[in-house]
Every structure is written in C-alpha cells, then in structure tokens.
C-alpha cells in the first residue's frame, strides 16, 4: 500500500500548567496509513507503558516494553474506513495518563463499495461455507452470504474490538484477515457477522492458541548441571474438586477451592499466566544446565493435588517451584511477591528445620525481588498448601504478583516481566543449590 507518512505533533495536558510546561514536553510521533497508525515516543523514566486507542469502529489496549525509553507501536483499525478520528492515550501501568493525541485516519475509498454486477438472489439469513482460522497475522475469515452485498464483521476480545463493514466479491464471497495484535494467547474472541441493519447472520467464538517457546538448543552456562528442578504451573483450565489428606502426618483434609485468580484488567486466567511463566522458567533453567520436569505444559489437562508432589518425589527432584498468581478482591492496591514454605509437615522437617527452610524461601524471594524490581512481598511458613506438605525436597509456592492489582495484572502477562520473574527464580535456584551443597 502506498504510504504518505504524516508526522503529527502531539498534545498536551501539561500546556495548561505553566510550571510543567517549562519541562520538556513528551511528544507522540505518528505515521498514518489506511487502517493503521504507527506511533513512537520517548519516556526515558519508564520500562513499561499502557497504550489505548479508539475510533468509532476499532479500539485496543496494549502494554509496551522498552529497554531504553523509546517506545514504538501500531494501532490497527481495520474497521475505520473514512476520515475518522482516532484517540491515542499513553498511561502508566497504574492507569495514570502520561500523554495523549487525537488524529484523523486517511480515507480508503477503494474498499468502500460492493462488487459490480452481483446476481439478484434471495438474501440469506445465515452465512455458509464459513472457515475461521487464526495465525500470527490475525483471524482469517472466509464465508459466503448469498444476496448480501455487504455485511458487518465484529470481533471482540478483552483487549480490543473491531467492527468492519465488508463488501462481497462477485460470488457473494467474503475473505480476509482481522489483525488482533492486542489480544493475548488463550483469550476468547467473539466473532459476529451481521447484516448492515445489525440482524445476526452468525455468532461464535475462537480461542487464540498459545504456543509455548521452544526449548533452548545451547547452554549459557553449566552452573546448574546435575540439579533437577520441578516446575508446577498452578491450576489448569478446568477446576476439578478433590479432597485429599493435607500432609503426610496430618489428620485433616484439604478440599480444592474454586478460587483461581483472574486479571482485573486483562481478564486472563491465572492458569494460563502461570503456564506462560513456567515455560519461560523452564527455558531459563535449561540454559543454565539444569534438568527440568513440568507437572503440566498445557491448559487442558488435569493434574491432581497429590500428583503435584508425586511427580517431583518420584523423579527425586532437588527443588519444586509452584507458580501461582495472587488475588485480593477486597483491596486492589495490594502488590508483591509472596513465597510460601511448608511448616510442620513431617516430609518438610526432613528437608530442613524452620530456620533452614526460611533461609531458602527468603533467598528465593530476594532473588525474585532483585530481578523484577518489585520491593513488596514476604516469605511465610505454613501448613496451608498440600503440594508443599507432601514434597520430599525444598518446595515453594510462589505467588508471583496480584492479578487483582491493575499494574501487576498487566506485568504478569508481559513477556518481558515474565522473563524477569523467570530469571529471578533461576537465580534463586542457583543460590539455594549452593546453600544445599548441590553445586559449588
Ligand atoms: Zn493459584
């Protein structure tokens, strides 16, 4: 497509404030194409920002990361054909507005009419020959709607929505791709096809697939050679209620609680977020020479409470990390990393005494805090977690952040922050392996 870049100046709220106006004003640079706005800006004091845009027919929100304060991104507006207004806002991850701009998208007249010479046939009440598939480019659609020379395609996920007017080809066929760059893996996209008067012709949903990263082919170091780590990604898509003995020397039982965390802003499931971080952690450990076993590598599985310790026990793992995300609906301000160790389980007593376990847990916590920059959190010993109680090796339930906190919810789904968590836990394993005398 021919591009006529228009560099567009920004803003800004701060102009109203004479004191702030003395400081250098941040600027959003934009290049406008049909259905598309490329933007860039510099905010040297930030590593992560949250960008939202909207037009009458498209909207999206996305976390951006930058290692050097220079941010770049794209607003995809496949539904915005005419000279329409687009609002672009940049926030902190805490949802505080940093900068904003408004601009006008270019007209794209070539796409605004149905094919000529369409045969006169009765208008269908539903679409036929429908195929919906997903690739990294977006959602591919192909269908027929006899007698309908135009339809509306609506796609909606928790992070974005698009309302696109489509025009039929000479055979009343429709085919194309809707980009979904803001939508996370494992999100559900609701797809509706409507007449121009909004009468439904089709409605369904598509689950965006998650593809785990490949295992690394080369080592970065050999410092964890011979160390076996089990990673237990908390939960799974569907909860099954179980009641099990709470620990080897406990008479009481524990019944599964339904309480899986859900993202305040992302609307994501804890089970998917823990899986993504688990797969990054697996690779970070493999790169250091460790042997790694996983209790699960997919969402659609069932790993019972006792399986989650039987798997590392049977493999004689040296450590278990149980990855979870926290939730505190009553107070969305609460943030931080919490590490939980077993307290009075007879298996745990054979691993370390209370002080020894606390030292291990605090070592893990400090490594994670250093890698992530998250200062809040703590290390607690208790009898609450069945997986910890039944483990014959150092076992830690790690609540990596609160999905009920706006900022941590966004961070926990950011690949860059996930990588920081993985690196922090890997460093924690290295330091704990030294404390255990497993490595020099
Ligand atoms: Zn959990």
């Amino acid at each position: 497509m021919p591009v006529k870049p228009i560099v567009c100046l920004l803003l800004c709220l701060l102009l109203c404030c004479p004191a702030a106006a003395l400081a250098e004003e941040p600027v959003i640079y934009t290049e406008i194409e049909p259905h598309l706005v490329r933007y860039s800006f510099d905010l040297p004091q930030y590593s992560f920002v949250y960008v939202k845009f909207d037009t009458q027919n498209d909207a999206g929100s996305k976390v951006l990361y930058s290692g050097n304060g220079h941010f770049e991104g794209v607003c995809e507006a496949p539904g915005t054909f005419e000279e329409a207004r687009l609002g672009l806002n940049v926030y902190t991850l805490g949802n505080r507005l940093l900068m904003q701009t408004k601009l006008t998208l270019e007209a794209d007249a070539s796409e605004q009419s149905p094919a000529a010479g369409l045969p006169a046939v009765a208008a269908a009440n539903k679409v036929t020959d429908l195929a919906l598939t997903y690739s990294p480019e977006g959602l591919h659609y192909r269908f027929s709607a006899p007698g309908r020379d135009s339809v509306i395609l609506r796609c909606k996920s928790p992070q974005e929505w698009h309302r696109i007017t489509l025009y039929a080809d000479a055979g009343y066929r429709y085919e194309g791709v809707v980009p979904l760059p803001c939508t996370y893996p494992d999100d559900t996209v609701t797809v509706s096809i409507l007449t121009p008067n909004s009468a439904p012709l089709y409605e369904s949903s598509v689950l965006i697939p998650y593809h785990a990263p490949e295992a690394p082919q080369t080592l970065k170091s050999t410092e964890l050679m011979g160390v076996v780590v089990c990673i237990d990604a908390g939960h799974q898509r569907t909860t099954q209620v179980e009641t099990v003995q709470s620990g080897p020397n406990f008479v009481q039982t524990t019944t599964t609680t339904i309480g899986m965390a859900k993202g305040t802003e992302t609307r994501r499931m804890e089970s998917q977020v823990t899986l993504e971080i688990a797969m990054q952690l697996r690779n970070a450990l493999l790169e250091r020479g460790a042997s790694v076993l996983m209790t699960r590598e997919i969402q659609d599985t069932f790993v019972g409470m006792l399986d989650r310790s039987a798997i590392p026990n049977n493999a004689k793992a040296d450590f278990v990390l149980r990855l979870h995300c926290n939730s505190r609906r009553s107070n969305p301000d609460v943030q931080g990393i919490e590490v939980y160790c077993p307290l009075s389980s007879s298996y745990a007593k054979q691993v370390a005494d209370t002080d020894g376990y606390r030292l291990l847990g605090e070592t893990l916590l400090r490594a994670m805090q250093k890698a992530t920059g998250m200062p809040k959190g703590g290390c607690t010993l208790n009898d609450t977690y069945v997986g910890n109680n039944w483990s014959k090796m150092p076992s830690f339930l790690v609540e990596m952040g609160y999905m009920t906190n706006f900022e941590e919810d966004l961070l926990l789904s950011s690949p860059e922050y996930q990588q920081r968590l993985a690196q922090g836990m890997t460093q924690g394993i290295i330091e704990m392996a030294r404390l255990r005398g497993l490595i020099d």
Side-chain angles (χ1 to χ4, degrees), residues 234-235 259-261 270-271 274 323-326 397 399:
H235 309 275
M260 194 193 319
E270 178 187 355
S271 57
T274 61
L323 309 191
H324 285 258
C325 302
N326 229 328
L397 188 141
E399 296 278 7

Side-chain angles (χ1 to χ4, degrees), residues 26 80 165 273 276 299 314 371 438:
T80 305
T165 302
V273 174
E276 289 172 10
Q299 266 279 57
N314 292 340
L438 298 171

